[in-house]
């Protein structure tokens, strides 16, 4: 499961905690020491750190980042030097002190943006630049170049770019500040006039965090704000006999999932609805069995629920290991988890593969649910569709259950680094590192270089037209398609 929390929200949650470090007192040696520690930790614990990017290329990229760090030792240059190798589940969380420091000292790009199909648009109603205005350059740097540069730091499995664009849309001012240019007091923005298409340039002052936070909550996109605040949400359109089921996580227990799915589909059948749209555009994953459970409500035949895990080691790297609450993990906790892995993984050649004990309780021959829906079904996917949510989309696609609308999933079609995660805190910088220790395969062990590809992608011009009408683009595209 991949969980992306917008930096704007992180700032709000973490501001005001007790101090761990003084950011301004960190030295070059502190940064370099933690980068070396990080290298050792990832090498020892990650199941396959060189799957997408060779060790040689990773070292080359890191050397270039360390040159910048040595020239100007700072926390944001330290962040630029962290290991990046195409694992969408690997995550880094800076300490509260960095967040506090950012709030008090940084200024930001003044507008929320939406990035779609390699283009960047103003995502905010204001009197300076109208909502939907296309930005072509910032500080004389083409937006394509900015997106490409951010893609190195923010990406889905194997560098899937839709995940980059989706996350930039959430956190662009923060990403620009830390990875492109810092402390820009006034931004030169080149844009296309929304009426004539001619290029113009405007100078706009930067804003502080508090103004940025206010504007972020006034962003037009996404339209489906209510649905995003609930784990499972049913939206009913009786006039068109269409039901929309938004599922924002599969990291839920089976009893709750079954209750919510059953309630929705019982209404679909009782009220004779013709169409169901299952929205997993913002579902970062969770338990693949819950994804299979959802699929059982839209199929009328048994289906194979097959997935498995593999790893390079069943030993834990214990240095700087912490639990989810930030406390050091003791000897007993480490041994207990290693015993868990030992019992459930068998060594084959140099790799450990999940055995029957790991699969205990998993229903591999999954039957349809008694309340299954037999009408037309669509699934919407996006750059934040990850992990077990991709598995649901894969079941949907492989069984030809209906049409998939959206953009390529941020998670790989057949494999991802997921299942179990170890958390570490680097000793000097207090950066928290979450490392997946297993690789998850859906069905056969096949590697593909992409996510689930949708059947229909809403063209960018039409997408923006829907937004200008304050309509959810993918959902409106489906409704227009179904009710011509």
């Amino acid at each position: 499961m991949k969980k992306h929390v917008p930096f704007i929200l992180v700032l709000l949650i973490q501001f005001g905690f007790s101090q761990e470090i003084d950011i301004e007192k960190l030295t070059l040696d502190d940064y370099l020491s933690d980068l070396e520690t990080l290298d050792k930790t990832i090498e020892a614990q990650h199941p396959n750190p060189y799957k997408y990017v060779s060790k040689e290329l990773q070292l080359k990229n890191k050397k270039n980042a360390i040159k910048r760090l040595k020239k100007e030792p700072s926390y944001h240059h330290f962040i630029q030097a962290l290991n990046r190798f195409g694992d969408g589940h690997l995550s880094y969380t800076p300490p509260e002190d960095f967040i506090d420091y950012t709030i008090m000292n940084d200024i930001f790009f003044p507008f929320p943006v939406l990035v779609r199909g390699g283009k960047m648009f103003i995502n905010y109603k204001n009197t300076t630049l109208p909502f939907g205005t296309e930005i072509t350059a910032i500080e004389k740097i083409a937006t394509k170049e900015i997106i490409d540069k951010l893609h190195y730091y923010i990406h889905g499995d194997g560098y899937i770019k839709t995940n980059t664009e989706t996350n930039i849309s959430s956190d662009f001012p923060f990403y620009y500040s830390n990875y492109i240019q810092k402390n820009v007091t006034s931004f030169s923005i080149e844009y296309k006039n929304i009426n004539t298409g001619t290029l113009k340039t405007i100078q706009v002052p930067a804003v502080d965090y508090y103004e940025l936070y206010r504007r972020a909550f006034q962003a037009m996109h996404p339209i489906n704000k209510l649905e995003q605040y609930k784990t499972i949400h049913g939206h009913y359109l009786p006039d068109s006999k269409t039901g929309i089921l938004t599922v924002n996580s599969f990291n839920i227990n089976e009893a709750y999932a079954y209750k919510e799915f059953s309630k929705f589909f019982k209404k679909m059948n009782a009220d004779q609805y013709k169409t169901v749209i299952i929205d997993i555009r913002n579902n970062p994953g969770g338990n693949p069995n819950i994804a299979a459970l959802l699929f059982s409500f839209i199929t009328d035949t048994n289906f194979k629920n097959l997935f498995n895990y593999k790893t390079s080691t069943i030993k834990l790297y214990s240095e700087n290991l912490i639990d989810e609450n930030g406390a050091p993990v003791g000897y007993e906790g480490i041994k207990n988890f290693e015993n868990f892995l030992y019992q459930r993984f068998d060594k084959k050649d140099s790799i450990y593969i999940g055995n029957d004990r790991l699969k205990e309780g998993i229903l591999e021959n999954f039957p349809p649910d008694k309340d299954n829906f037999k009408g037309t079904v669509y699934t919407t996917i996006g750059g934040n569709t990850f992990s077990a949510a991709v598995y649901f989309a894969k079941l949907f696609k492989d069984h030809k259950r209906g049409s998939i609308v959206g953009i390529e999933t941020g998670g790989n079609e057949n494999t991802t680094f997921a299942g179990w995660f170890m958390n570490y805190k680097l000793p000097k910088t207090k950066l928290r590192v979450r490392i997946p220790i297993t690789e998850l395969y859906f069905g056969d062990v096949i590697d593909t270089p992409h996510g689930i590809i949708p059947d229909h992608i809403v063209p960018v011009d039409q997408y923006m037209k829907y937004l200008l009408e304050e309509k959810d683009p993918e959902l409106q595209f489906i409704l227009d398609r179904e009710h011509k």
Side-chain angles (χ1 to χ4, degrees):
M1 173 182 176
K2 177 176 181 173
K3 181 67 173 176
H4 172 76
V5 180
F7 185 71
I8 294 295
L9 184 57
V10 171
L11 290 179
L12 178 67
I13 292 171
Q14 294 189 340
F15 183 53
F17 280 60
S18 60
Q19 189 177 47
E20 285 186 284
I21 55 172
D22 186 337
I23 295 292
E24 293 183 331
K25 289 184 179 179
L26 288 172
T27 66
L28 176 61
D29 286 343
D30 292 332
Y31 292 126
L32 294 177
S33 172
D34 271 8
L35 289 174
E36 185 178 347
T37 298
L38 179 61
D39 284 341
K40 291 177 181 177
T41 307
I42 288 175
E43 182 80 31
Q45 194 67 88
H46 196 280
N48 195 356
Y50 308 115
K51 179 172 183 172
Y52 297 113
V53 183
S54 70
K55 188 173 185 177
E56 292 72 24
L57 184 55
Q58 287 188 42
L59 288 172
K60 180 182 177 181
N61 291 337
K62 196 153 192 171
K63 282 181 181 177
N64 290 333
I66 287 174
K67 282 182 182 177
R68 292 193 296 270
L69 180 62
K70 287 181 175 178
K71 186 176 180 180
E72 183 190 335
S74 65
Y75 210 98
H76 82 278
H77 279 152
F78 165 70
I79 289 173
Q80 291 178 13
L82 299 176
N83 303 55
R84 315 283 177 174
F85 47 83
D87 177 2
H89 278 91
L90 179 75
S91 66
Y92 301 113
T93 304
E96 297 91 20
D97 308 281
F98 175 68
I99 309 301
D100 295 351
Y101 187 84
T102 298
I103 289 174
M104 292 184 288
N105 295 282
D106 282 8
I107 49 177
F108 300 94
F109 184 79
F111 301 119
V113 303
L114 170 65
V115 180
R116 183 85 176 187
K119 296 181 178 181
M120 182 181 293
F121 302 92
I122 296 289
N123 186 21
Y124 168 68
K125 287 188 174 180
N126 65 94
T127 56
T128 306
L129 291 174
F131 169 82
T133 299
E134 183 182 348
I135 301 172
T136 54
I138 300 172
E139 289 293 285
K140 298 183 180 180
I141 307 172
T143 50
K144 183 182 184 305
E145 184 181 342
I146 292 171
I147 295 166
D148 287 344
K149 186 169 183 179
L150 291 176
H151 181 53
Y152 173 74
Y153 302 102
I154 313 140
H155 50 253
D157 288 333
Y159 288 89
I160 294 175
K161 202 162 192 175
T162 55
N163 182 259
T164 306
E165 294 191 350
T166 302
N167 285 331
I168 291 174
S169 297
S170 298
D171 292 335
F172 179 72
F174 165 71
Y175 290 136
Y176 186 95
S177 176
N178 276 284
Y179 299 122
I180 307 298
Q181 289 178 298
K182 204 168 187 67
N183 296 321
V184 179
T185 58
S186 179
F187 289 89
S188 171
I189 300 175
E190 182 187 84
Y191 66 97
K192 283 186 180 179
N193 182 283
I194 204 162
N195 296 313
T196 65
T198 56
L199 290 178
K200 294 191 173 184
T201 302
I202 190 173
Q203 202 76 22
V204 180
V207 296
D208 65 14
Y209 162 70
Y210 298 96
E211 177 60 18
L212 177 64
Y213 186 85
R214 185 186 72 81
R215 294 183 182 188
F217 269 83
Q218 294 180 338
M220 282 285 293
H221 183 273
I223 296 293
N224 60 336
K225 288 181 169 63
L226 171 63
E227 289 87 342
Q228 288 201 345
Y229 282 105
K230 299 190 71 175
T231 304
I232 300 173
H233 180 81
H235 186 179
Y236 308 100
L237 305 175
D239 291 344
S240 62
K241 290 296 183 183
T242 299
I244 303 166
L245 181 66
T246 302
V247 185
N248 288 321
S249 176
F250 289 127
N251 190 27
I252 49 181
N253 68 60
E254 183 177 346
Y256 169 72
Y258 187 84
K259 182 189 76 170
E260 294 298 318
F261 297 160
S262 180
K263 178 176 67 175
F264 177 83
F265 285 103
K266 279 180 178 177
K267 180 173 177 62
M268 294 296 98
N269 292 324
D271 293 354
Q272 298 182 329
Y273 273 54
K274 297 177 181 179
T275 306
V276 162
I277 303 168
I278 297 177
D279 183 1
I280 54 169
R281 288 174 293 179
N282 293 290
N283 189 322
N287 184 349
N289 290 297
I290 305 300
L293 175 65
L294 176 57
F295 188 72
S296 75
F297 280 89
I298 57 171
T299 184
D300 57 6
T301 60
N302 286 25
F303 62 95
K304 296 297 182 183
N305 175 36
L306 300 176
F307 57 90
N308 201 1
Y309 302 87
K310 68 177 185 178
T311 184
S312 59
T313 179
I314 56 173
K315 293 291 183 182
L316 298 188
Y317 186 73
S318 60
E319 187 177 342
N320 305 309
L321 182 64
I322 59 173
D323 63 23
E324 291 188 351
N325 297 316
V329 178
Y331 174 83
E332 194 69 24
I334 291 171
K335 283 303 171 187
N336 286 342
F337 193 73
E338 287 180 342
N339 286 336
F340 171 88
L341 296 174
Y342 176 76
Q343 292 164 358
R344 291 165 176 80
F345 285 85
D346 294 335
K347 193 170 187 179
K348 184 178 180 181
D349 299 325
S350 59
I351 299 295
Y352 292 88
I353 308 292
N355 58 29
D356 288 341
R357 187 161 184 180
L358 183 67
K359 301 174 189 176
E360 190 175 356
I362 294 176
L363 194 60
E364 293 191 346
N365 189 31
F366 217 113
D369 191 83
K370 292 177 182 179
D371 294 314
N372 65 322
F373 179 75
K374 296 178 175 63
T376 301
V377 184
Y378 289 85
T379 288
T380 55
I381 60 174
N384 276 342
T385 306
F386 236 84
S387 200
V390 176
Y391 180 50
F392 173 82
K394 180 176 172 61
L395 289 171
F396 190 91
K397 175 185 175 183
D398 290 350
H399 290 270
K400 298 178 171 60
R401 183 56 184 92
S403 294
I404 300 176
V405 178
I407 54 176
E408 180 184 1
T409 60
N412 188 279
E413 181 178 30
N414 289 312
T415 177
T416 188
F417 297 113
W420 290 269
F421 299 86
M422 293 296 108
N423 296 288
Y424 297 86
K425 183 189 285 188
L426 300 184
K428 305 291 187 181
T429 60
K430 307 303 178 185
L431 184 86
R432 292 193 183 198
V433 185
R434 190 186 75 153
I435 301 175
I437 67 168
T438 51
E439 192 168 0
L440 169 62
Y441 280 90
F442 308 127
D444 296 329
V445 179
I446 300 172
D447 287 330
T448 53
H450 55 75
I452 298 290
I453 306 298
D455 301 303
H456 304 283
I457 299 174
V458 182
V460 174
D461 290 347
Q462 188 176 357
Y463 192 93
M464 295 307 298
K465 182 177 181 294
Y466 280 133
L467 285 178
L468 285 167
E469 296 170 355
E470 300 192 20
K471 296 175 180 177
D472 184 304
E474 275 97 5
L475 298 185
Q476 193 61 44
F477 175 86
I478 294 171
L479 293 172
D480 290 349
R481 177 184 172 87
E482 279 294 297
H483 308 105
K484 288 182 179 179

